[in-house]
């Protein structure tokens, strides 16, 4: 097999791995049942003029399955953090006790669980689309090599390998989705 085809296959696998990593990151933002610091991963605070992740301006801890506490590193950040959580629109109502911010994570209703499962399905479908786009790009590159004189058998073999990679990653996405849906629907 030529170096060009090996490079195409390596970069294809790397891109497909990127789709899986992105999906796992998106799944962390979909809350399921118990409290987790990852639930606040999408919250950014205006810290002296720059958007800063919440985890860099406060200590986030989870004392129990239904509570998240935030201890700001600077006391004057309490109201800014509280406002940022409300603006993020992630369904939490922060309480400020003067020292820290306490967030009570409400239990999920059946309807909300179904909505979160739909959201997870949508994220998984986006990841599948990403994998298929990577496959299309790889096959286009292989066809270019064939036009440039690479043997037809080698190109067909490479296309089959790309398809096998695609099938493997689509299966991984489906497995991640099944696990996430089970986690969401578990009461």
């Amino acid at each position: 097999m030529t170096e060009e085809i090996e490079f195409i296959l390596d970069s294809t696998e790397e891109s497909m791995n990127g789709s899986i990593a992105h999906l796992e990151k998106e799944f962390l933002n979909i809350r399921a049942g118990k409290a987790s610091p990852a639930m606040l991963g999408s919250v950014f605070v205006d810290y002296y003029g720059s958007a800063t992740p919440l985890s860099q301006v406060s200590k986030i801890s989870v004392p129990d399955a239904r509570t998240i506490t935030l201890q700001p590193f600077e006391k004057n950040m309490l109201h800014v953090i509280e406002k940022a959580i409300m603006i993020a629109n992630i369904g939490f109502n922060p309480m400020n006790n003067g020292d820290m911010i306490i967030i009570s994570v409400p239990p999920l209703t059946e309807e909300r669980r179904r909505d979160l499962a739909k959201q997870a399905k949508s994220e998984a479908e986006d990841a599948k689309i990403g994998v298929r786009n990577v496959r299309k790009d790889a096959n286009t590159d292989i066809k270019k090599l064939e036009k440039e004189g690479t043997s037809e058998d080698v190109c067909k073999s490479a296309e089959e390998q790309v398809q096998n990679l695609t099938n493997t990653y689509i299966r991984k996405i489906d497995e991640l989705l099944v696990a996430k849906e089970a986690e969401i629907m578990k009461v």
Side-chain angles (χ1 to χ4, degrees):
M1 200 181 311
T2 66
E3 277 185 33
E4 292 98 346
I5 288 185
E6 282 184 31
F7 176 75
I8 290 170
L9 292 174
D10 288 346
S11 64
T12 299
E13 187 165 10
E14 192 176 311
S15 296
M16 289 181 178
N17 264 327
S19 290
I20 295 286
H22 178 74
L23 177 65
E24 289 171 337
K25 187 175 174 226
E26 290 301 316
F27 276 178
L28 283 178
N29 291 333
I30 299 175
R31 76 182 185 97
K34 59 183 183 231
S36 155
M39 293 176 169
L40 301 172
S42 62
V43 180
F44 284 82
V45 177
D46 180 30
Y47 186 66
Y48 298 108
S50 65
T52 307
L54 192 55
S55 60
Q56 291 182 12
V57 295
S58 67
K59 177 181 172 240
I60 302 173
S61 56
V62 183
D64 61 57
R66 295 265 176 246
T67 311
I68 301 173
T69 61
L70 295 107
Q71 180 75 50
F73 299 136
E74 298 176 25
K75 214 168 187 125
N76 64 336
M77 292 300 293
L78 271 172
H79 293 293
V80 177
I81 292 172
E82 193 175 15
K83 190 174 176 185
I85 293 169
M86 287 183 191
I87 291 172
N89 198 19
I90 49 178
F92 295 140
N93 191 15
M95 294 178 292
N96 178 346
N97 71 2
D99 282 333
M100 62 172 53
I101 294 173
I102 302 166
I103 299 172
S104 293
V105 179
L108 295 173
T109 64
E110 187 65 30
E111 182 182 340
R112 183 70 179 133
R113 286 179 196 279
R114 280 196 292 274
D115 289 345
L116 291 173
K118 279 183 197 170
Q119 185 181 346
K121 255 188 197 123
S122 169
E123 293 294 346
E125 195 53 47
D126 289 347
K128 287 180 183 180
I129 289 168
V131 167
R132 291 184 191 118
N133 285 338
V134 171
R135 174 187 62 190
K136 186 181 93 180
D137 293 344
N139 285 338
T140 302
D141 291 345
I142 291 169
K143 290 210 186 320
K144 278 183 197 166
L145 287 178
E146 191 175 349
K147 286 180 184 170
E148 292 171 4
T150 305
S151 133
E152 189 177 326
D153 289 343
V154 171
C155 290
K156 282 285 180 223
S157 170
E159 284 179 358
E160 286 173 13
Q161 284 180 291
V162 168
Q163 185 57 47
N164 289 340
L165 277 174
T166 303
N167 294 343
T168 301
Y169 281 93
I170 295 287
R171 228 181 347 269
K172 280 184 184 176
I173 291 169
D174 287 336
E175 289 166 5
L176 287 171
L177 176 62
V178 166
K180 187 63 179 181
E181 283 181 327
E183 182 185 335
I184 290 170
M185 297 311 279
K186 190 174 90 183
V187 179

